[in-house]
């Protein structure tokens, strides 16, 4: 089980609870909470990406970026939370298949083949249960609300 612990909890002041959690397979993840000291994670979370370049950098960029991205997916999965990556892009990419045949230039100058990104997204979806959606930037707010309301 994963429990969120507020970052304002003083480290070292709750050793008895933390010891019990550790002995009973409860993982504590420190996060700023809007209320309370402990809570369960949400069931759906959305991570917005500004464009294809950002998501390609996260998934196909340097080793540290790929590791950070994978750990975020694993943490969500371990918490029982479905993670949706909402990529804000133009009208030309509305689904994963639209990535095939594209070339995406990263900020580092590296070029990522769309098929490589397509395969990476499918692998992450299968392995960690996350999903990838695409929308126009002006529709992102509406789509976030829909996903969270429907839990899908």
């Amino acid at each position: 089980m994963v429990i969120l612990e507020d970052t304002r909890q003083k480290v070292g002041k709750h050793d008895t609870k933390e010891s019990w959690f550790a002995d009973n397979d409860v993982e504590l993840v420190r996060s700023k909470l809007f209320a309370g000291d402990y809570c369960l994670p949400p069931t759906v979370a959305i991570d917005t990406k500004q464009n294809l370049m950002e998501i390609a950098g996260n998934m196909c960029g340097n080793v540290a970026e790929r590791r950070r991205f994978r750990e975020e997916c694993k943490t969500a999965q371990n918490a029982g939370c479905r993670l949706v990556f909402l990529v804000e892009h133009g009208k030309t990419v509305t689904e994963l298949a639209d990535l095939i045949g594209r070339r995406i230039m990263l900020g580092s100058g590296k070029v990522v083949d769309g098929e490589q990104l397509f395969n990476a997204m499918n692998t992450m979806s299968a392995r960690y249960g996350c999903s990838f959606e695409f929308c126009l930037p002006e529709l992102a707010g509406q789509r976030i609300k829909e996903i969270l309301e429907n839990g899908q």
Side-chain angles (χ1 to χ4, degrees):
M1 170 183 232
V2 175
I3 294 178
L4 299 179
E5 176 186 42
D6 191 75
T7 53
R8 292 167 290 200
Q9 282 284 79
K10 293 190 180 355
V11 176
K13 297 287 185 181
H14 304 278
D15 293 339
T16 303
K17 285 185 289 250
E18 290 175 11
S19 178
W20 188 91
F21 290 146
D23 292 343
N24 289 276
D25 296 322
V26 175
E27 178 184 352
L28 283 179
V29 175
R30 291 179 59 82
S31 178
K32 185 175 180 186
L33 302 179
F34 69 93
D37 295 324
Y38 300 94
C39 76
L40 293 174
T43 58
V44 178
I46 301 167
D47 188 342
T48 58
K49 300 298 178 183
Q50 182 179 5
N51 50 37
L52 288 178
M53 186 172 80
E54 182 179 2
I55 191 74
N58 293 160
M59 298 185 75
C60 305
N62 67 50
V63 173
E65 265 302 296
R66 292 191 320 262
R67 183 176 296 126
R68 184 203 59 76
F69 186 85
R70 185 175 52 251
E71 288 304 315
E72 181 177 2
C73 293
K74 286 166 77 172
T75 298
Q77 181 185 47
N78 290 340
C81 178
R82 191 172 72 82
L83 184 56
V84 178
F85 292 96
L86 184 61
V87 183
E88 299 175 31
H89 196 71
K91 295 177 183 177
T92 59
V93 178
T94 59
E95 60 184 40
L96 283 176
D98 293 336
L99 297 172
I100 305 296
R102 294 187 161 273
R103 294 175 56 75
I104 304 144
M105 177 73 78
L106 302 184
S108 64
K110 176 183 177 182
V111 176
V112 173
D113 181 71
E115 190 168 351
Q116 178 187 0
L117 181 58
F118 172 85
N119 290 334
M121 288 177 166
N122 281 317
T123 298
M124 296 301 278
S125 292
R127 196 172 286 163
Y128 301 110
C130 59
S131 62
F132 299 88
E133 293 193 21
F134 304 88
C135 73
L136 296 169
E138 58 269 22
L139 298 178
Q142 176 185 338
R143 188 63 193 129
I144 290 167
K145 182 176 182 276
E146 290 168 357
I147 293 167
L148 294 175
E149 280 181 341
N150 297 324
Q152 54 178 346

